[in-house]
PDB file of all heavy atoms in Angstrom:
ATOM      1  N   PRO U  66       0.802  -1.229   0.000  1.00 96.00           N
ATOM      2  CA  PRO U  66       0.000   0.000   0.000  1.00 96.00           C
ATOM      3  C   PRO U  66       0.838   1.285   0.000  1.00 96.00           C
ATOM      4  O   PRO U  66       0.377   2.323  -0.466  1.00 96.00           O
ATOM      5  CB  PRO U  66      -0.826  -0.080   1.288  1.00 96.00           C
ATOM      6  CG  PRO U  66      -0.680  -1.452   1.814  1.00 96.00           C
ATOM      7  CD  PRO U  66       0.467  -2.095   1.111  1.00 96.00           C
ATOM      8  N   TYR U  67       2.071   1.236   0.497  1.00 97.00           N
ATOM      9  CA  TYR U  67       2.920   2.425   0.545  1.00 97.00           C
ATOM     10  C   TYR U  67       3.923   2.501  -0.606  1.00 97.00           C
ATOM     11  O   TYR U  67       4.813   3.341  -0.601  1.00 97.00           O
ATOM     12  CB  TYR U  67       3.656   2.493   1.885  1.00 97.00           C
ATOM     13  CG  TYR U  67       2.717   2.676   3.040  1.00 97.00           C
ATOM     14  CD1 TYR U  67       2.643   1.728   4.043  1.00 97.00           C
ATOM     15  CD2 TYR U  67       1.886   3.787   3.131  1.00 97.00           C
ATOM     16  CE1 TYR U  67       1.769   1.881   5.113  1.00 97.00           C
ATOM     17  CE2 TYR U  67       1.007   3.953   4.192  1.00 97.00           C
ATOM     18  CZ  TYR U  67       0.959   2.999   5.177  1.00 97.00           C
ATOM     19  OH  TYR U  67       0.091   3.155   6.225  1.00 97.00           O
ATOM     20  N   GLY U  68       3.821   1.617  -1.575  1.00 97.00           N
ATOM     21  CA  GLY U  68       4.639   1.715  -2.771  1.00 97.00           C
ATOM     22  C   GLY U  68       5.833   0.775  -2.846  1.00 97.00           C
ATOM     23  O   GLY U  68       6.050  -0.086  -1.997  1.00 97.00           O
ATOM     24  N   ILE U  69       6.607   0.977  -3.894  1.00 96.00           N
ATOM     25  CA  ILE U  69       7.688   0.068  -4.260  1.00 96.00           C
ATOM     26  C   ILE U  69       8.795  -0.030  -3.203  1.00 96.00           C
ATOM     27  O   ILE U  69       9.362  -1.094  -2.987  1.00 96.00           O
ATOM     28  CB  ILE U  69       8.272   0.446  -5.641  1.00 96.00           C
ATOM     29  CG1 ILE U  69       9.183  -0.673  -6.162  1.00 96.00           C
ATOM     30  CG2 ILE U  69       8.973   1.783  -5.600  1.00 96.00           C
ATOM     31  CD1 ILE U  69       9.577  -0.525  -7.606  1.00 96.00           C
ATOM     32  N   ALA U  70       9.123   1.068  -2.539  1.00 96.00           N
ATOM     33  CA  ALA U  70      10.191   1.022  -1.529  1.00 96.00           C
ATOM     34  C   ALA U  70       9.824   0.093  -0.376  1.00 96.00           C
ATOM     35  O   ALA U  70      10.700  -0.536   0.220  1.00 96.00           O
ATOM     36  CB  ALA U  70      10.485   2.416  -1.010  1.00 96.00           C
ATOM     37  N   PHE U  71       8.552  -0.022  -0.067  1.00 96.00           N
ATOM     38  CA  PHE U  71       8.100  -0.933   0.985  1.00 96.00           C
ATOM     39  C   PHE U  71       7.890  -2.341   0.448  1.00 96.00           C
ATOM     40  O   PHE U  71       8.044  -3.323   1.165  1.00 96.00           O
ATOM     41  CB  PHE U  71       6.803  -0.414   1.625  1.00 96.00           C
ATOM     42  CG  PHE U  71       7.010   0.787   2.485  1.00 96.00           C
ATOM     43  CD1 PHE U  71       7.017   2.050   1.926  1.00 96.00           C
ATOM     44  CD2 PHE U  71       7.224   0.654   3.844  1.00 96.00           C
ATOM     45  CE1 PHE U  71       7.217   3.169   2.714  1.00 96.00           C
ATOM     46  CE2 PHE U  71       7.428   1.765   4.645  1.00 96.00           C
ATOM     47  CZ  PHE U  71       7.425   3.029   4.076  1.00 96.00           C
ATOM     48  N   ALA U  72       7.544  -2.457  -0.822  1.00 96.00           N
ATOM     49  CA  ALA U  72       7.326  -3.777  -1.428  1.00 96.00           C
ATOM     50  C   ALA U  72       8.634  -4.522  -1.671  1.00 96.00           C
ATOM     51  O   ALA U  72       8.697  -5.744  -1.527  1.00 96.00           O
ATOM     52  CB  ALA U  72       6.568  -3.628  -2.747  1.00 96.00           C
ATOM     53  N   LEU U  73       9.676  -3.800  -2.032  1.00 95.00           N
ATOM     54  CA  LEU U  73      10.963  -4.408  -2.367  1.00 95.00           C
ATOM     55  C   LEU U  73      12.060  -3.800  -1.484  1.00 95.00           C
ATOM     56  O   LEU U  73      12.918  -3.054  -1.958  1.00 95.00           O
ATOM     57  CB  LEU U  73      11.263  -4.200  -3.860  1.00 95.00           C
ATOM     58  CG  LEU U  73      10.173  -4.720  -4.801  1.00 95.00           C
ATOM     59  CD1 LEU U  73      10.437  -4.283  -6.223  1.00 95.00           C
ATOM     60  CD2 LEU U  73      10.046  -6.222  -4.695  1.00 95.00           C
ATOM     61  N   PRO U  74      12.053  -4.143  -0.189  1.00 95.00           N
ATOM     62  CA  PRO U  74      12.933  -3.487   0.779  1.00 95.00           C
ATOM     63  C   PRO U  74      14.310  -4.128   0.906  1.00 95.00           C
ATOM     64  O   PRO U  74      14.627  -5.104   0.227  1.00 95.00           O
ATOM     65  CB  PRO U  74      12.176  -3.698   2.087  1.00 95.00           C
ATOM     66  CG  PRO U  74      11.610  -5.077   1.918  1.00 95.00           C
ATOM     67  CD  PRO U  74      11.195  -5.135   0.459  1.00 95.00           C
ATOM     68  N   ASP U  75      15.083  -3.605   1.824  1.00 95.00           N
ATOM     69  CA  ASP U  75      16.322  -4.249   2.235  1.00 95.00           C
ATOM     70  C   ASP U  75      15.924  -5.508   3.011  1.00 95.00           C
ATOM     71  O   ASP U  75      15.070  -5.461   3.884  1.00 95.00           O
ATOM     72  CB  ASP U  75      17.114  -3.302   3.140  1.00 95.00           C
ATOM     73  CG  ASP U  75      18.456  -3.863   3.559  1.00 95.00           C
ATOM     74  OD1 ASP U  75      18.591  -5.102   3.701  1.00 95.00           O
ATOM     75  OD2 ASP U  75      19.370  -3.067   3.773  1.00 95.00           O
ATOM     76  N   CYS U  76      16.530  -6.627   2.706  1.00 92.00           N
ATOM     77  CA  CYS U  76      16.141  -7.906   3.297  1.00 92.00           C
ATOM     78  C   CYS U  76      16.956  -8.298   4.522  1.00 92.00           C
ATOM     79  O   CYS U  76      16.860  -9.434   4.991  1.00 92.00           O
ATOM     80  CB  CYS U  76      16.242  -8.999   2.246  1.00 92.00           C
ATOM     81  SG  CYS U  76      15.122  -8.696   0.877  1.00 92.00           S
ATOM     82  N   SER U  77      17.752  -7.386   5.042  1.00 93.00           N
ATOM     83  CA  SER U  77      18.579  -7.736   6.203  1.00 93.00           C
ATOM     84  C   SER U  77      17.735  -8.072   7.431  1.00 93.00           C
ATOM     85  O   SER U  77      18.200  -8.782   8.310  1.00 93.00           O
ATOM     86  CB  SER U  77      19.566  -6.617   6.519  1.00 93.00           C
ATOM     87  OG  SER U  77      18.884  -5.435   6.852  1.00 93.00           O
ATOM     88  N   SER U  78      16.492  -7.613   7.485  1.00 89.00           N
ATOM     89  CA  SER U  78      15.634  -7.966   8.621  1.00 89.00           C
ATOM     90  C   SER U  78      15.291  -9.456   8.620  1.00 89.00           C
ATOM     91  O   SER U  78      15.033 -10.037   9.666  1.00 89.00           O
ATOM     92  CB  SER U  78      14.351  -7.138   8.599  1.00 89.00           C
ATOM     93  OG  SER U  78      13.587  -7.433   7.447  1.00 89.00           O
ATOM     94  N   ILE U  79      15.326 -10.090   7.477  1.00 87.00           N
ATOM     95  CA  ILE U  79      15.046 -11.527   7.363  1.00 87.00           C
ATOM     96  C   ILE U  79      16.347 -12.326   7.338  1.00 87.00           C
ATOM     97  O   ILE U  79      16.454 -13.371   7.968  1.00 87.00           O
ATOM     98  CB  ILE U  79      14.235 -11.827   6.081  1.00 87.00           C
ATOM     99  CG1 ILE U  79      12.844 -11.216   6.186  1.00 87.00           C
ATOM    100  CG2 ILE U  79      14.143 -13.323   5.825  1.00 87.00           C
ATOM    101  CD1 ILE U  79      12.040 -11.326   4.908  1.00 87.00           C
ATOM    102  N   GLU U  80      17.355 -11.836   6.621  1.00 90.00           N
ATOM    103  CA  GLU U  80      18.582 -12.590   6.372  1.00 90.00           C
ATOM    104  C   GLU U  80      19.774 -12.190   7.222  1.00 90.00           C
ATOM    105  O   GLU U  80      20.809 -12.833   7.160  1.00 90.00           O
ATOM    106  CB  GLU U  80      18.972 -12.455   4.900  1.00 90.00           C
ATOM    107  CG  GLU U  80      17.931 -12.991   3.960  1.00 90.00           C
ATOM    108  CD  GLU U  80      18.354 -12.876   2.524  1.00 90.00           C
ATOM    109  OE1 GLU U  80      19.318 -12.156   2.217  1.00 90.00           O
ATOM    110  OE2 GLU U  80      17.716 -13.525   1.696  1.00 90.00           O
ATOM    111  N   GLY U  81      19.637 -11.122   7.977  1.00 91.00           N
ATOM    112  CA  GLY U  81      20.772 -10.621   8.749  1.00 91.00           C
ATOM    113  C   GLY U  81      21.641  -9.738   7.883  1.00 91.00           C
ATOM    114  O   GLY U  81      21.492  -9.700   6.664  1.00 91.00           O
ATOM    115  N   PRO U  82      22.558  -8.988   8.500  1.00 93.00           N
ATOM    116  CA  PRO U  82      23.427  -8.120   7.715  1.00 93.00           C
ATOM    117  C   PRO U  82      24.290  -8.929   6.745  1.00 93.00           C
ATOM    118  O   PRO U  82      24.840  -9.961   7.108  1.00 93.00           O
ATOM    119  CB  PRO U  82      24.284  -7.407   8.757  1.00 93.00           C
ATOM    120  CG  PRO U  82      24.093  -8.160  10.024  1.00 93.00           C
ATOM    121  CD  PRO U  82      22.835  -8.955   9.912  1.00 93.00           C
ATOM    122  N   ARG U  83      24.331  -8.455   5.498  1.00 91.00           N
ATOM    123  CA  ARG U  83      25.081  -9.144   4.433  1.00 91.00           C
ATOM    124  C   ARG U  83      24.612 -10.590   4.239  1.00 91.00           C
ATOM    125  O   ARG U  83      25.335 -11.427   3.725  1.00 91.00           O
ATOM    126  CB  ARG U  83      26.586  -9.102   4.687  1.00 91.00           C
ATOM    127  CG  ARG U  83      27.147  -7.723   4.941  1.00 91.00           C
ATOM    128  CD  ARG U  83      27.628  -6.957   3.745  1.00 91.00           C
ATOM    129  NE  ARG U  83      28.530  -7.690   2.901  1.00 91.00           N
ATOM    130  CZ  ARG U  83      28.495  -7.619   1.559  1.00 91.00           C
ATOM    131  NH1 ARG U  83      27.634  -6.850   0.974  1.00 91.00           N
ATOM    132  NH2 ARG U  83      29.336  -8.310   0.846  1.00 91.00           N
ATOM    133  N   ALA U  84      23.390 -10.899   4.717  1.00 90.00           N
ATOM    134  CA  ALA U  84      22.762 -12.216   4.564  1.00 90.00           C
ATOM    135  C   ALA U  84      23.508 -13.339   5.276  1.00 90.00           C
ATOM    136  O   ALA U  84      23.424 -14.494   4.884  1.00 90.00           O
ATOM    137  CB  ALA U  84      22.561 -12.556   3.093  1.00 90.00           C
ATOM    138  N   ILE U  85      24.222 -13.016   6.344  1.00 91.00           N
ATOM    139  CA  ILE U  85      25.000 -14.041   7.042  1.00 91.00           C
ATOM    140  C   ILE U  85      24.136 -14.991   7.869  1.00 91.00           C
ATOM    141  O   ILE U  85      24.603 -16.051   8.260  1.00 91.00           O
ATOM    142  CB  ILE U  85      26.081 -13.401   7.939  1.00 91.00           C
ATOM    143  CG1 ILE U  85      25.445 -12.489   8.979  1.00 91.00           C
ATOM    144  CG2 ILE U  85      27.100 -12.652   7.110  1.00 91.00           C
ATOM    145  CD1 ILE U  85      26.414 -11.949  10.012  1.00 91.00           C
ATOM    146  N   ALA U  86      22.885 -14.639   8.114  1.00 91.00           N
ATOM    147  CA  ALA U  86      21.994 -15.498   8.908  1.00 91.00           C
ATOM    148  C   ALA U  86      21.019 -16.265   8.030  1.00 91.00           C
ATOM    149  O   ALA U  86      19.962 -16.690   8.503  1.00 91.00           O
ATOM    150  CB  ALA U  86      21.240 -14.641   9.921  1.00 91.00           C
ATOM    151  N   ALA U  87      21.337 -16.463   6.764  1.00 91.00           N
ATOM    152  CA  ALA U  87      20.424 -17.118   5.835  1.00 91.00           C
ATOM    153  C   ALA U  87      21.118 -18.191   5.016  1.00 91.00           C
ATOM    154  O   ALA U  87      21.209 -18.097   3.789  1.00 91.00           O
ATOM    155  CB  ALA U  87      19.797 -16.065   4.931  1.00 91.00           C
ATOM    156  N   PRO U  88      21.611 -19.251   5.641  1.00 93.00           N
ATOM    157  CA  PRO U  88      22.348 -20.265   4.870  1.00 93.00           C
ATOM    158  C   PRO U  88      21.498 -20.977   3.813  1.00 93.00           C
ATOM    159  O   PRO U  88      21.992 -21.271   2.730  1.00 93.00           O
ATOM    160  CB  PRO U  88      22.848 -21.235   5.931  1.00 93.00           C
ATOM    161  CG  PRO U  88      21.974 -21.030   7.109  1.00 93.00           C
ATOM    162  CD  PRO U  88      21.553 -19.594   7.053  1.00 93.00           C
ATOM    163  N   PHE U  89      20.231 -21.246   4.121  1.00 91.00           N
ATOM    164  CA  PHE U  89      19.396 -21.935   3.138  1.00 91.00           C
ATOM    165  C   PHE U  89      19.102 -21.034   1.937  1.00 91.00           C
ATOM    166  O   PHE U  89      19.209 -21.467   0.786  1.00 91.00           O
ATOM    167  CB  PHE U  89      18.099 -22.436   3.784  1.00 91.00           C
ATOM    168  CG  PHE U  89      17.328 -23.360   2.904  1.00 91.00           C
ATOM    169  CD1 PHE U  89      17.832 -24.608   2.575  1.00 91.00           C
ATOM    170  CD2 PHE U  89      16.110 -22.982   2.372  1.00 91.00           C
ATOM    171  CE1 PHE U  89      17.138 -25.469   1.741  1.00 91.00           C
ATOM    172  CE2 PHE U  89      15.399 -23.827   1.549  1.00 91.00           C
ATOM    173  CZ  PHE U  89      15.917 -25.069   1.232  1.00 91.00           C
ATOM    174  N   GLN U  90      18.754 -19.778   2.199  1.00 91.00           N
ATOM    175  CA  GLN U  90      18.516 -18.848   1.102  1.00 91.00           C
ATOM    176  C   GLN U  90      19.789 -18.649   0.264  1.00 91.00           C
ATOM    177  O   GLN U  90      19.721 -18.636  -0.963  1.00 91.00           O
ATOM    178  CB  GLN U  90      18.033 -17.486   1.620  1.00 91.00           C
ATOM    179  CG  GLN U  90      16.627 -17.508   2.156  1.00 91.00           C
ATOM    180  CD  GLN U  90      16.572 -17.679   3.666  1.00 91.00           C
ATOM    181  OE1 GLN U  90      17.364 -18.414   4.236  1.00 91.00           O
ATOM    182  NE2 GLN U  90      15.632 -17.010   4.308  1.00 91.00           N
ATOM    183  N   ASN U  91      20.932 -18.530   0.930  1.00 91.00           N
ATOM    184  CA  ASN U  91      22.190 -18.375   0.195  1.00 91.00           C
ATOM    185  C   ASN U  91      22.481 -19.590  -0.674  1.00 91.00           C
ATOM    186  O   ASN U  91      22.967 -19.465  -1.798  1.00 91.00           O
ATOM    187  CB  ASN U  91      23.349 -18.133   1.159  1.00 91.00           C
ATOM    188  CG  ASN U  91      23.316 -16.752   1.771  1.00 91.00           C
ATOM    189  OD1 ASN U  91      22.749 -15.835   1.196  1.00 91.00           O
ATOM    190  ND2 ASN U  91      23.908 -16.599   2.937  1.00 91.00           N
ATOM    191  N   SER U  92      22.193 -20.783  -0.150  1.00 92.00           N
ATOM    192  CA  SER U  92      22.394 -22.008  -0.950  1.00 92.00           C
ATOM    193  C   SER U  92      21.506 -21.997  -2.181  1.00 92.00           C
ATOM    194  O   SER U  92      21.952 -22.330  -3.279  1.00 92.00           O
ATOM    195  CB  SER U  92      22.104 -23.241  -0.104  1.00 92.00           C
ATOM    196  OG  SER U  92      23.049 -23.368   0.922  1.00 92.00           O
ATOM    197  N   LEU U  93      20.238 -21.624  -2.001  1.00 89.00           N
ATOM    198  CA  LEU U  93      19.315 -21.578  -3.141  1.00 89.00           C
ATOM    199  C   LEU U  93      19.720 -20.521  -4.170  1.00 89.00           C
ATOM    200  O   LEU U  93      19.674 -20.771  -5.370  1.00 89.00           O
ATOM    201  CB  LEU U  93      17.896 -21.281  -2.665  1.00 89.00           C
ATOM    202  CG  LEU U  93      17.146 -22.409  -1.987  1.00 89.00           C
ATOM    203  CD1 LEU U  93      15.818 -21.909  -1.439  1.00 89.00           C
ATOM    204  CD2 LEU U  93      16.903 -23.546  -2.966  1.00 89.00           C
ATOM    205  N   ASN U  94      20.096 -19.358  -3.694  1.00 89.00           N
ATOM    206  CA  ASN U  94      20.371 -18.240  -4.597  1.00 89.00           C
ATOM    207  C   ASN U  94      21.769 -18.236  -5.191  1.00 89.00           C
ATOM    208  O   ASN U  94      21.955 -17.845  -6.341  1.00 89.00           O
ATOM    209  CB  ASN U  94      20.157 -16.907  -3.868  1.00 89.00           C
ATOM    210  CG  ASN U  94      18.710 -16.669  -3.516  1.00 89.00           C
ATOM    211  OD1 ASN U  94      17.816 -17.121  -4.197  1.00 89.00           O
ATOM    212  ND2 ASN U  94      18.490 -15.956  -2.432  1.00 89.00           N
ATOM    213  N   PHE U  95      22.764 -18.656  -4.405  1.00 90.00           N
ATOM    214  CA  PHE U  95      24.159 -18.510  -4.832  1.00 90.00           C
ATOM    215  C   PHE U  95      24.953 -19.814  -4.819  1.00 90.00           C
ATOM    216  O   PHE U  95      26.134 -19.811  -5.112  1.00 90.00           O
ATOM    217  CB  PHE U  95      24.860 -17.460  -3.958  1.00 90.00           C
ATOM    218  CG  PHE U  95      24.133 -16.143  -3.936  1.00 90.00           C
ATOM    219  CD1 PHE U  95      23.374 -15.772  -2.841  1.00 90.00           C
ATOM    220  CD2 PHE U  95      24.193 -15.292  -5.026  1.00 90.00           C
ATOM    221  CE1 PHE U  95      22.682 -14.562  -2.823  1.00 90.00           C
ATOM    222  CE2 PHE U  95      23.507 -14.078  -5.015  1.00 90.00           C
ATOM    223  CZ  PHE U  95      22.756 -13.721  -3.914  1.00 90.00           C
ATOM    224  N   GLY U  96      24.320 -20.907  -4.401  1.00 91.00           N
ATOM    225  CA  GLY U  96      24.999 -22.193  -4.392  1.00 91.00           C
ATOM    226  C   GLY U  96      26.003 -22.364  -3.273  1.00 91.00           C
ATOM    227  O   GLY U  96      26.827 -23.267  -3.314  1.00 91.00           O
ATOM    228  N   ASN U  97      25.934 -21.507  -2.270  1.00 93.00           N
ATOM    229  CA  ASN U  97      26.891 -21.547  -1.170  1.00 93.00           C
ATOM    230  C   ASN U  97      26.191 -21.041   0.094  1.00 93.00           C
ATOM    231  O   ASN U  97      25.667 -19.930   0.091  1.00 93.00           O
ATOM    232  CB  ASN U  97      28.078 -20.651  -1.511  1.00 93.00           C
ATOM    233  CG  ASN U  97      29.144 -20.623  -0.444  1.00 93.00           C
ATOM    234  OD1 ASN U  97      28.987 -21.177   0.637  1.00 93.00           O
ATOM    235  ND2 ASN U  97      30.242 -19.949  -0.750  1.00 93.00           N
ATOM    236  N   PRO U  98      26.143 -21.834   1.172  1.00 94.00           N
ATOM    237  CA  PRO U  98      25.454 -21.385   2.381  1.00 94.00           C
ATOM    238  C   PRO U  98      26.100 -20.171   3.037  1.00 94.00           C
ATOM    239  O   PRO U  98      25.461 -19.438   3.776  1.00 94.00           O
ATOM    240  CB  PRO U  98      25.493 -22.593   3.306  1.00 94.00           C
ATOM    241  CG  PRO U  98      26.584 -23.448   2.803  1.00 94.00           C
ATOM    242  CD  PRO U  98      26.702 -23.178   1.330  1.00 94.00           C
ATOM    243  N   VAL U  99      27.373 -19.956   2.775  1.00 91.00           N
ATOM    244  CA  VAL U  99      28.071 -18.789   3.309  1.00 91.00           C
ATOM    245  C   VAL U  99      28.427 -17.891   2.116  1.00 91.00           C
ATOM    246  O   VAL U  99      29.533 -17.928   1.608  1.00 91.00           O
ATOM    247  CB  VAL U  99      29.337 -19.191   4.084  1.00 91.00           C
ATOM    248  CG1 VAL U  99      29.991 -17.970   4.708  1.00 91.00           C
ATOM    249  CG2 VAL U  99      29.009 -20.221   5.146  1.00 91.00           C
ATOM    250  N   ALA U 100      27.441 -17.122   1.686  1.00 89.00           N
ATOM    251  CA  ALA U 100      27.637 -16.249   0.521  1.00 89.00           C
ATOM    252  C   ALA U 100      27.197 -14.837   0.891  1.00 89.00           C
ATOM    253  O   ALA U 100      26.102 -14.416   0.570  1.00 89.00           O
ATOM    254  CB  ALA U 100      26.831 -16.774  -0.667  1.00 89.00           C
ATOM    255  N   PRO U 101      28.046 -14.102   1.612  1.00 90.00           N
ATOM    256  CA  PRO U 101      27.657 -12.749   1.988  1.00 90.00           C
ATOM    257  C   PRO U 101      27.373 -11.899   0.753  1.00 90.00           C
ATOM    258  O   PRO U 101      28.111 -11.972  -0.236  1.00 90.00           O
ATOM    259  CB  PRO U 101      28.850 -12.205   2.757  1.00 90.00           C
ATOM    260  CG  PRO U 101      29.846 -13.276   2.838  1.00 90.00           C
ATOM    261  CD  PRO U 101      29.394 -14.427   2.027  1.00 90.00           C
ATOM    262  N   HIS U 102      26.315 -11.147   0.812  1.00 90.00           N
ATOM    263  CA  HIS U 102      25.958 -10.294  -0.314  1.00 90.00           C
ATOM    264  C   HIS U 102      25.128  -9.108   0.161  1.00 90.00           C
ATOM    265  O   HIS U 102      24.647  -9.074   1.279  1.00 90.00           O
ATOM    266  CB  HIS U 102      25.199 -11.097  -1.382  1.00 90.00           C
ATOM    267  CG  HIS U 102      23.916 -11.681  -0.887  1.00 90.00           C
ATOM    268  ND1 HIS U 102      23.865 -12.884  -0.222  1.00 90.00           N
ATOM    269  CD2 HIS U 102      22.653 -11.215  -0.934  1.00 90.00           C
ATOM    270  CE1 HIS U 102      22.613 -13.142   0.096  1.00 90.00           C
ATOM    271  NE2 HIS U 102      21.860 -12.140  -0.310  1.00 90.00           N
ATOM    272  N   ASP U 103      24.957  -8.170  -0.714  1.00 92.00           N
ATOM    273  CA  ASP U 103      24.185  -6.967  -0.443  1.00 92.00           C
ATOM    274  C   ASP U 103      22.701  -7.341  -0.468  1.00 92.00           C
ATOM    275  O   ASP U 103      22.216  -7.914  -1.445  1.00 92.00           O
ATOM    276  CB  ASP U 103      24.498  -5.934  -1.522  1.00 92.00           C
ATOM    277  CG  ASP U 103      24.006  -4.553  -1.185  1.00 92.00           C
ATOM    278  OD1 ASP U 103      23.030  -4.429  -0.416  1.00 92.00           O
ATOM    279  OD2 ASP U 103      24.594  -3.589  -1.690  1.00 92.00           O
ATOM    280  N   THR U 104      21.981  -7.030   0.574  1.00 93.00           N
ATOM    281  CA  THR U 104      20.568  -7.406   0.675  1.00 93.00           C
ATOM    282  C   THR U 104      19.613  -6.287   0.279  1.00 93.00           C
ATOM    283  O   THR U 104      18.403  -6.465   0.364  1.00 93.00           O
ATOM    284  CB  THR U 104      20.235  -7.847   2.114  1.00 93.00           C
ATOM    285  OG1 THR U 104      20.524  -6.771   3.000  1.00 93.00           O
ATOM    286  CG2 THR U 104      21.001  -9.087   2.514  1.00 93.00           C
ATOM    287  N   ARG U 105      20.151  -5.155  -0.174  1.00 94.00           N
ATOM    288  CA  ARG U 105      19.282  -4.019  -0.504  1.00 94.00           C
ATOM    289  C   ARG U 105      18.409  -4.304  -1.719  1.00 94.00           C
ATOM    290  O   ARG U 105      18.867  -4.851  -2.711  1.00 94.00           O
ATOM    291  CB  ARG U 105      20.116  -2.770  -0.785  1.00 94.00           C
ATOM    292  CG  ARG U 105      20.731  -2.190   0.460  1.00 94.00           C
ATOM    293  CD  ARG U 105      21.583  -1.003   0.144  1.00 94.00           C
ATOM    294  NE  ARG U 105      22.711  -1.457  -0.688  1.00 94.00           N
ATOM    295  CZ  ARG U 105      23.486  -0.654  -1.387  1.00 94.00           C
ATOM    296  NH1 ARG U 105      23.275   0.641  -1.375  1.00 94.00           N
ATOM    297  NH2 ARG U 105      24.485  -1.145  -2.096  1.00 94.00           N
ATOM    298  N   GLY U 106      17.157  -3.900  -1.603  1.00 93.00           N
ATOM    299  CA  GLY U 106      16.213  -4.013  -2.702  1.00 93.00           C
ATOM    300  C   GLY U 106      16.142  -2.704  -3.466  1.00 93.00           C
ATOM    301  O   GLY U 106      17.161  -2.166  -3.881  1.00 93.00           O
ATOM    302  N   TYR U 107      14.934  -2.194  -3.600  1.00 95.00           N
ATOM    303  CA  TYR U 107      14.709  -0.958  -4.329  1.00 95.00           C
ATOM    304  C   TYR U 107      15.449   0.205  -3.694  1.00 95.00           C
ATOM    305  O   TYR U 107      15.418   0.347  -2.484  1.00 95.00           O
ATOM    306  CB  TYR U 107      13.203  -0.658  -4.372  1.00 95.00           C
ATOM    307  CG  TYR U 107      12.858   0.608  -5.091  1.00 95.00           C
ATOM    308  CD1 TYR U 107      12.754   0.605  -6.468  1.00 95.00           C
ATOM    309  CD2 TYR U 107      12.658   1.798  -4.402  1.00 95.00           C
ATOM    310  CE1 TYR U 107      12.458   1.773  -7.139  1.00 95.00           C
ATOM    311  CE2 TYR U 107      12.361   2.971  -5.072  1.00 95.00           C
ATOM    312  CZ  TYR U 107      12.260   2.951  -6.438  1.00 95.00           C
ATOM    313  OH  TYR U 107      11.967   4.105  -7.095  1.00 95.00           O
ATOM    314  N   PRO U 108      16.129   1.037  -4.448  1.00 95.00           N
ATOM    315  CA  PRO U 108      16.233   1.068  -5.902  1.00 95.00           C
ATOM    316  C   PRO U 108      17.480   0.385  -6.467  1.00 95.00           C
ATOM    317  O   PRO U 108      17.633   0.275  -7.671  1.00 95.00           O
ATOM    318  CB  PRO U 108      16.294   2.564  -6.212  1.00 95.00           C
ATOM    319  CG  PRO U 108      17.050   3.141  -5.066  1.00 95.00           C
ATOM    320  CD  PRO U 108      16.625   2.301  -3.860  1.00 95.00           C
ATOM    321  N   SER U 109      18.400  -0.093  -5.621  1.00 93.00           N
ATOM    322  CA  SER U 109      19.668  -0.614  -6.145  1.00 93.00           C
ATOM    323  C   SER U 109      19.603  -2.060  -6.627  1.00 93.00           C
ATOM    324  O   SER U 109      20.249  -2.410  -7.593  1.00 93.00           O
ATOM    325  CB  SER U 109      20.773  -0.490  -5.103  1.00 93.00           C
ATOM    326  OG  SER U 109      20.544  -1.380  -4.036  1.00 93.00           O
ATOM    327  N   PHE U 110      18.863  -2.927  -5.928  1.00 93.00           N
ATOM    328  CA  PHE U 110      18.780  -4.355  -6.283  1.00 93.00           C
ATOM    329  C   PHE U 110      20.166  -4.942  -6.519  1.00 93.00           C
ATOM    330  O   PHE U 110      20.402  -5.671  -7.476  1.00 93.00           O
ATOM    331  CB  PHE U 110      17.917  -4.581  -7.525  1.00 93.00           C
ATOM    332  CG  PHE U 110      16.504  -4.096  -7.387  1.00 93.00           C
ATOM    333  CD1 PHE U 110      16.073  -2.971  -8.063  1.00 93.00           C
ATOM    334  CD2 PHE U 110      15.618  -4.762  -6.570  1.00 93.00           C
ATOM    335  CE1 PHE U 110      14.777  -2.521  -7.933  1.00 93.00           C
ATOM    336  CE2 PHE U 110      14.307  -4.321  -6.439  1.00 93.00           C
ATOM    337  CZ  PHE U 110      13.890  -3.200  -7.127  1.00 93.00           C
ATOM    338  N   ALA U 111      21.117  -4.626  -5.657  1.00 89.00           N
ATOM    339  CA  ALA U 111      22.513  -4.998  -5.845  1.00 89.00           C
ATOM    340  C   ALA U 111      22.722  -6.494  -6.104  1.00 89.00           C
ATOM    341  O   ALA U 111      23.458  -6.863  -7.004  1.00 89.00           O
ATOM    342  CB  ALA U 111      23.335  -4.548  -4.646  1.00 89.00           C
TER     343      ALA U 111
END
């Protein structure tokens, strides 16, 4: 309801900073459970 910035946010609240608390998601997305990456969404989608 508040737009794209709220729909596609920074995901560190779910995955932890640099996605260090998300081994399963990292395995699915990057093939490595320890794959630190930028979790920012809109507008950078790094």
Side-chain angles (χ1 to χ4, degrees):
Y67 295 119
I69 192 168
F71 288 85
L73 304 171
D75 183 328
C76 298
S77 62
S78 64
I79 293 173
E80 299 181 346
R83 308 269 309 141
I85 60 173
F89 191 67
Q90 288 96 322
N91 288 335
S92 294
L93 285 174
N94 293 330
F95 306 104
N97 180 354
V99 184
H102 61 275
D103 193 334
T104 59
R105 288 178 296 164
Y107 179 83
S109 69
F110 301 108

